[in-house]
Amino acid sequence: MTKAKAGERLPYLLSKLKAPRVLERLEQTAALAREQEWPYERFLETLLEAEVFARDASGARMRIRHAAFPALKTLEDFDWSAQPSAERPLVLHLAQLAWIEEAGNVCFFGPPGTGKTHCAIALALKACERGHRAAFATTQEWVSRLEQAQDRNQLEQELRRLERYHLLIVDEVGCAPRGAISPGGTRGPPPAAVTAGRSWGQSGS
């Protein structure tokens, strides 16, 4: 009976564990570990770290895709010099996302073209990268979604689905029709990032 070669069953075992990145990096990492005489713990940590990073990145891409952003915007590409009224320290503080954990809301007010939607998307993008589920829509789109659910007698089910998100982005609140549905789920809606024109904020509508 032929004795199995050391490591011969690793591809099979890693496939059963669904760890393809470990398999991809195994040979190269093992060679480096032998050359530099790594301890076993460092060798294992290096392989598992690559797998975890890849899974996190894949999960973030999926969350970003499902959030349905109209465009991908980051704080790094925000032109602060063109928007002197934007409070950069405050926005960067919000990017730490503690307000999501605290179930708080963020509202961006200002006239058109001042970067409200950009900042809201940028914060939501960071939230997706950190494991939070987000969903983006304009106010009119959110209202239509809830009205359609109500017409199907499924409003409560729709509200429960929305409660699964960690963050909702409500864009263009100033365009909301009067008399729109006001959602009130069993435990309250998720945190929201809201953008609105200055006139909406001043009128208190």
Side-chain angles (χ1 to χ4, degrees), residues 35-73:
E35 179 184 338
Q36 299 185 2
E37 299 182 347
W38 287 0
Y40 297 131
E41 293 84 357
R42 181 181 175 186
F43 173 61
L44 181 61
E45 182 181 50
T46 300
L47 289 174
L48 295 180
E49 193 174 62
E51 183 69 37
V52 169
F53 284 168
R55 291 188 184 188
D56 285 348
S58 177
R61 286 194 298 270
M62 184 175 297
R63 286 187 293 273
I64 290 170
R65 185 171 63 251
H66 289 169
F69 299 122
L72 298 184
K73 305 286 187 179

Side-chain angles (χ1 to χ4, degrees), residues 6 51 58 127 150 157 180 194:
E51 183 69 37
S58 177
Q150 187 176 54
Q157 295 94 313
V194 177

Side-chain angles (χ1 to χ4, degrees), residues 54-150:
R55 291 188 184 188
D56 285 348
S58 177
R61 286 194 298 270
M62 184 175 297
R63 286 187 293 273
I64 290 170
R65 185 171 63 251
H66 289 169
F69 299 122
L72 298 184
K73 305 286 187 179
T74 68
L75 293 179
E76 289 72 21
D77 59 30
F78 187 82
D79 190 352
W80 300 97
S81 62
Q83 302 296 342
S85 62
E87 298 184 40
R88 185 172 186 174
L90 176 58
V91 175
L92 295 180
H93 174 72
L94 293 172
Q96 298 175 22
L97 306 180
W99 53 280
I100 295 180
E101 301 293 343
E102 297 165 359
N105 299 314
V106 170
C107 297
F108 293 98
F109 297 101
T114 52
K116 303 182 299 298
T117 300
H118 186 133
C119 288
I121 292 176
L123 294 182
L125 199 61
K126 283 189 176 293
C128 290
E129 292 170 349
R130 296 187 193 177
H132 296 292
R133 296 183 64 201
F136 177 100
T138 65
T139 302
Q140 183 58 60
E141 289 169 342
W142 283 121
V143 171
S144 296
R145 178 172 174 171
L146 294 176
E147 286 179 338
Q148 290 169 15
Q150 187 176 54

